[in-house]
């Protein structure tokens, strides 16, 4: 087995922390990519991996993405991510969450966690019993924080509207056909916002009952998960797990725009250029999907500083996402570099690695 620091996804990460607690059955990886701008912030993923190397790749790639996301969102936070390796039965226990909370606390504030795939707000409450370095906790109405999903969805919705205006020259998404891969808490929120504006939707998700119900609710078409990338549309919106945009996936696309909330959408660094070569406008994932981290970071900072946290301030920050995307696309067109490379360069400078 090759050492993880020799793998392509290792990017001078500051800390890669392996956690094993035999009593609770916890096995986890906490990866801190950069603390240049502040404590490393990023959610915890609970997932069953077919082999351990996939968990390490996720931790490395997702933590780097969080460094870039937080920097581009103007947040005083670095980038980190945790993955809890679930067993085949996906069993999650209070003892496991408590052990994970102690591991986070043992890092002394270098890492601030939140929910991600497979982790709920209730889980974060349990983790918070062991450590103060948690965000995304329940809050009073009108305050920032809590479930980050709706804020992530809002940013993606605004980003799709910006992409439609930039690429298609249309000021509205009315009649724009969006094919959505994944309609869970985030993708479903995006779908509802787009439907309200009159967009034509085609939906796909592995949760067949849920996607059928959402399709009926919104009057949207539903296709099988393995068909969604080939649907002829204006916008392909990936909102499930990442790395779907590989050479094969990109060749299947029949769209003008790729804009969605999944993390690490590009399977390899060269895939962004492949999209550009096909004339497909790409919205870098860690820029368009920053709404959730903006919300939970504001919550954490306000709680840390014992200060009020107005939800309207969160919305103001999320409303800046379209302008950031527009700047990336303009620089891409001016330089000939693909949007993902332009965004990476901007982010690297912000974290002191330019």
């Amino acid at each position: 087995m090759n050492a993880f620091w020799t793998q392509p996804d290792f990017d001078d990460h500051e800390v890669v922390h392996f956690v094993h607690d035999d009593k609770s059955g916890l096995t986890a990886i906490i990866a801190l990519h950069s603390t240049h701008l502040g404590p490393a912030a990023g959610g915890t993923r609970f997932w069953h991996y077919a082999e351990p190397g996939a968990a390490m790749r996720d931790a490395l790639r997702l933590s780097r993405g969080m460094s870039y996301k937080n920097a581009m969102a103007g947040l005083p936070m670095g980038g980190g991510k945790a993955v809890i390796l679930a067993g085949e039965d996906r069993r999650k226990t209070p003892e496991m969450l408590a052990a994970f909370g102690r591991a986070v606390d043992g890092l002394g504030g270098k890492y601030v966690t939140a929910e991600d795939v497979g982790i709920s707000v209730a889980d974060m409450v349990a983790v918070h019993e062991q450590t103060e370095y948690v965000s995304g906790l329940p809050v009073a109405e009108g305050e920032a924080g809590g479930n980050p999903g709706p804020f992530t969805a809002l940013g993606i919705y605004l980003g799709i509207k910006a992409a439609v205006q930039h690429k298609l020259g249309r000021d509205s998404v009315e009649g724009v056909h969006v094919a959505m891969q994944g309609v869970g808490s985030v993708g479903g929120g995006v779908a509802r916002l787009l439907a309200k504006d009159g967009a034509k939707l085609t939906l796909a998700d592995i949760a067949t009952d849920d996607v059928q119900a959402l399709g009926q609710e919104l009057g949207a078409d539903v296709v099988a998960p393995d068909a969604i990338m080939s649907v002829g549309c204006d916008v392909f919106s990936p909102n499930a797990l990442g790395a779907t945009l590989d050479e094969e996936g990109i060749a299947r696309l029949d769209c003008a725009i790729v804009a969605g909330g999944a993390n690490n959408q590009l399977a390899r660094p060269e895939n962004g250029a492949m999209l550009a070569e096909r004339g497909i406008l790409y919205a870098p994932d860690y820029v368009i999907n920053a709404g959730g981290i903006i919300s939970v970071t504001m919550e954490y900072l306000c709680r840390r500083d014992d200060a009020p946290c107005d939800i309207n301030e969160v919305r103001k920050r999320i409303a800046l996402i379209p302008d950031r995307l527009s700047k990336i696309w303009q620089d891409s067109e001016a330089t000939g570099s693909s949007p993902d490379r332009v965004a990476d360069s901007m982010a690297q400078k912000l974290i002191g690695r330019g």
Side-chain angles (χ1 to χ4, degrees), residues 22 24 49 62 107 110 189 214 265:
D22 188 62
S24 68
Y49 294 91
L62 292 167
L107 292 171
K110 289 184 178 180
L214 185 63
Q265 294 170 22

Side-chain angles (χ1 to χ4, degrees), residues 57-125:
R57 285 191 294 274
D58 242 7
L60 295 176
R61 295 190 75 195
L62 292 167
S63 58
R64 178 180 58 203
M66 289 308 303
S67 287
Y68 291 3
K69 180 185 298 190
N70 293 335
M72 293 293 280
L75 299 172
M77 306 294 279
K81 203 78 173 186
V83 295
I84 297 176
L85 285 72
E88 289 187 20
D89 60 0
R90 276 76 168 175
R91 184 167 173 263
K92 186 197 311 170
T93 66
E95 293 78 14
M96 191 181 294
L97 293 171
F100 178 73
R102 291 191 295 272
V104 171
D105 199 63
L107 292 171
K110 289 184 178 180
Y111 172 59
V112 179
T113 193
E115 67 175 279
D116 194 69
V117 175
I119 292 288
S120 67
V121 172
D123 293 334
M124 283 296 103
V125 171

Side-chain angles (χ1 to χ4, degrees), residues 243-258:
T244 56
L245 297 174
D246 55 13
E247 187 172 355
E248 179 184 358
I250 291 168
R252 293 172 58 199
L253 293 175
D254 183 11
C255 63
I257 297 163
V258 171

Side-chain angles (χ1 to χ4, degrees), residues 183 192 203 205 207-222:
V183 289
R192 289 183 173 92
L203 313 178
D205 198 287
T208 53
D209 290 346
D210 292 344
V211 71
Q212 289 291 346
L214 185 63
Q216 289 185 348
E217 174 191 333
L218 303 180
D221 294 331
V222 176

Side-chain angles (χ1 to χ4, degrees), residues 99-320:
F100 178 73
R102 291 191 295 272
V104 171
D105 199 63
L107 292 171
K110 289 184 178 180
Y111 172 59
V112 179
T113 193
E115 67 175 279
D116 194 69
V117 175
I119 292 288
S120 67
V121 172
D123 293 334
M124 283 296 103
V125 171
V127 172
H128 187 234
E129 292 177 0
Q130 307 296 326
T131 181
E132 64 183 294
Y133 306 116
V134 176
S135 57
L137 299 172
V139 293
E141 186 174 352
E143 293 185 356
N147 179 10
F151 299 99
T152 305
L154 175 60
I156 296 163
Y157 159 74
L158 294 175
I160 289 174
K161 290 180 65 175
V164 165
Q165 199 285 325
H166 187 91
K167 181 69 176 180
L168 306 180
R170 298 173 64 169
D171 293 328
S172 168
V173 294
E174 184 176 4
V176 172
H177 187 183
V178 183
M180 303 201 63
Q181 182 186 53
V183 289
S185 62
V186 172
V190 177
R192 289 183 173 92
L193 291 170
L194 291 170
K196 188 176 180 181
D197 281 359
K200 171 181 168 58
L201 301 177
T202 300
L203 313 178
D205 198 287
I206 58 174
T208 53
D209 290 346
D210 292 344
V211 71
Q212 289 291 346
L214 185 63
Q216 289 185 348
E217 174 191 333
L218 303 180
D221 294 331
V222 176
V223 299
D226 60 1
I228 191 67
M229 293 188 77
S230 302
V231 170
C233 59
D234 298 304
V235 182
F236 172 66
S237 184
N239 295 283
L241 294 179
T244 56
L245 297 174
D246 55 13
E247 187 172 355
E248 179 184 358
I250 291 168
R252 293 172 58 199
L253 293 175
D254 183 11
C255 63
I257 297 163
V258 171
N263 288 312
N264 295 331
Q265 294 170 22
L266 301 175
R268 300 308 314 159
E270 61 271 18
N271 296 142
M274 291 180 182
L275 287 170
E277 288 166 5
R278 291 202 53 201
I280 298 172
L281 182 69
Y282 176 60
D285 47 31
Y286 57 80
V287 180
I288 194 173
N289 68 11
I293 194 64
I294 289 171
S295 172
V296 297
T297 295
M298 294 296 293
E299 170 220 322
Y300 173 76
L301 294 174
C302 290
R303 189 173 68 248
R304 183 194 67 181
D305 299 337
D306 195 23
C309 211
D310 188 351
I311 197 171
N312 290 321
E313 179 61 28
V314 174
R315 293 193 175 113
K316 287 179 184 177
R317 287 175 176 257
I318 293 173
L320 298 175

Side-chain angles (χ1 to χ4, degrees), residues 35-49:
T35 57
H36 180 77
L37 295 175
T44 295
R45 178 166 291 189
F46 183 85
W47 193 254
H48 173 64
Y49 294 91

